[in-house]
């Protein structure tokens, strides 16, 4: 399996790729100001809320955009179907993973994430610019490139396979809930904070370490694995980490913010 990650020096030597800057903060606005202050040459700013999600509603806080909307966004950002795409955020790929997953889901076959993000690029002494590129692309979104879970399927998978909860442990346990109106988790889901997939430098653990981490949680190749979080962003990071480990996983896109829209769905705490 080709790694979905790319290092700074490898990216610097890569020619012809579309670059997307997906810097973003959970609970805050996308980091367009940070992009304006400096970014990787050739990168276009990708707004996670506007380009990688539909408006919040019954589908959760970050539901999938329509194929038509995603096509328009990616073409505006310079994405072609025939050339590679590299996405990055500040450091740990929490936001970039959503772009990676969305592009893969909508049919792009050559997408990689800059491991360590913009921080790693800067630490490598590579060039930074304030220039905004003029780009256009021909990408056409075709849904179905990555496995997804409905709420019903996610609930069932928690019993028949492994459903990983990518949120912080205290949110999983229902001790705190800073964003959604109901605290807790899908019954049977396993706590697997996605922050434990990366080191202090924001880079992913090596594949062997990730395989060991997920094996302890029961997420191995011969088991059906899924992931969710609060709104489908950090769960995409979990799916990316699993991909690095060699385990294909399905994403419950609506995640907890969608699960709790139906009061008949059970909630577990502890």
């Amino acid at each position: 399996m080709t790694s979905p990650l790319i290092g700074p020096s490898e990216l610097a030597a890569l020619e012809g790729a579309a670059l997307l800057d997906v810097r973003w903060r959970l609970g805050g606005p996308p980091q367009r100001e940070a992009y304006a202050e400096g970014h990787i040459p050739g990168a276009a700013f990708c707004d996670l809320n506007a380009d990688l999600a539909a408006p919040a509603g019954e589908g959760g806080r970050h539901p999938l955009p329509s194929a038509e909307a995603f096509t328009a966004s990616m073409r505006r950002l310079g994405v072609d179907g025939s050339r590679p795409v590299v996405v990055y955020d500040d450091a740990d790929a929490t936001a970039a993973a959503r772009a990676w997953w969305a592009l893969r889901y909508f049919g792009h076959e050559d997408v990689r994430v800059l491991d360590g993000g913009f921080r790693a690029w800067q630490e490598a002494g590579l060039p930074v610019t304030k220039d905004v590129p003029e780009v256009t692309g021909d990408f056409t979104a075709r849904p179905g490139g990555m496995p997804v879970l409905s709420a019903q399927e996610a609930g069932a998978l928690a019993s028949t396979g492994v459903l990983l909860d990518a949120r912080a442990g205290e949110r999983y346990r229902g001790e705190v809930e800073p964003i959604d109106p109901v605290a807790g988790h899908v019954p049977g889901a396993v706590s697997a904070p996605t922050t434990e997939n990366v080191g202090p430098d924001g880079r992913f653990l090596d594949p062997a370490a990730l395989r060991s981490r997920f094996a302890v949680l029961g997420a191995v190749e011969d088991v059906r694995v899924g992931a969710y979080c609060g709104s489908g962003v950090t769960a995409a990071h979990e799916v990316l980490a699993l991909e690095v480990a060699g385990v294909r996983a399905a994403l419950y896109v609506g995640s907890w913010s969608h699960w709790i829209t139906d009061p008949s769905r059970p909630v577990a705490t502890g």
Side-chain angles (χ1 to χ4, degrees):
M1 179 184 295
T2 301
S3 175
L5 304 178
I6 187 171
S9 59
E10 188 181 358
L11 174 57
L14 183 65
E15 297 181 358
L19 299 177
L20 301 184
D21 184 312
V22 201
R23 281 179 277 182
W24 176 81
R25 288 284 186 274
L26 179 64
Q31 301 296 291
R32 191 178 296 275
E33 294 80 5
Y35 171 83
E37 292 172 1
H39 51 268
I40 296 175
F45 182 74
C46 179
D47 185 321
L48 187 148
N49 294 334
D51 297 324
L52 304 177
E58 292 184 0
R61 283 186 280 110
H62 288 107
L64 273 179
S66 67
E68 294 76 16
F70 191 75
T71 293
S73 291
M74 293 304 106
R75 289 185 177 187
R76 175 175 51 80
L77 296 175
V79 174
D80 291 337
S82 60
R83 64 185 182 124
V85 183
V86 177
V87 298
Y88 70 89
D89 56 27
D90 278 325
D92 65 5
T94 298
R98 172 72 178 216
W100 167 82
W101 187 91
L103 280 159
R104 290 290 309 279
Y105 172 78
F106 281 114
H108 203 297
E109 297 182 353
D110 191 355
V111 189
R112 283 183 282 179
V113 176
L114 177 59
D115 196 17
F118 188 61
R119 182 197 303 169
W121 179 268
Q122 290 180 299
E123 289 175 348
L126 293 164
V128 172
T129 185
K130 293 183 179 181
D131 296 338
V132 177
E134 295 184 7
V135 294
T136 185
D138 64 8
F139 179 73
T140 298
R142 297 179 176 85
M146 293 288 278
V148 294
L149 296 171
S150 66
Q152 182 178 2
E153 290 168 336
L157 185 60
S159 299
T160 61
V162 175
L163 180 66
L164 300 178
D165 186 316
R167 299 172 299 167
E170 57 269 24
R171 290 184 69 192
Y172 167 86
R173 294 187 296 271
E175 296 167 357
V176 298
E177 182 43 67
I179 302 174
D180 293 307
V182 178
H185 60 268
V186 177
V190 178
S191 180
T194 198
T195 52
E196 297 179 14
N197 295 325
V198 297
D201 59 358
R203 296 175 188 251
F204 281 90
L205 305 181
D206 65 63
L210 287 171
R211 278 193 293 271
S212 296
R213 161 171 158 74
F214 289 123
V216 171
L217 301 173
V220 293
E221 288 184 71
D222 57 349
V223 173
R224 288 189 65 226
V225 179
Y228 78 98
C229 58
S231 68
V233 174
T234 52
H237 187 273
E238 194 91 285
V239 172
L240 173 58
L242 285 156
E243 192 91 355
V244 173
V247 178
R248 177 57 59 91
L251 177 66
Y252 175 19
V253 180
S255 285
W256 186 247
S257 63
H258 173 255
W259 181 267
I260 59 175
T261 59
D262 183 347
S264 70
R265 294 186 187 122
V267 171
T269 57

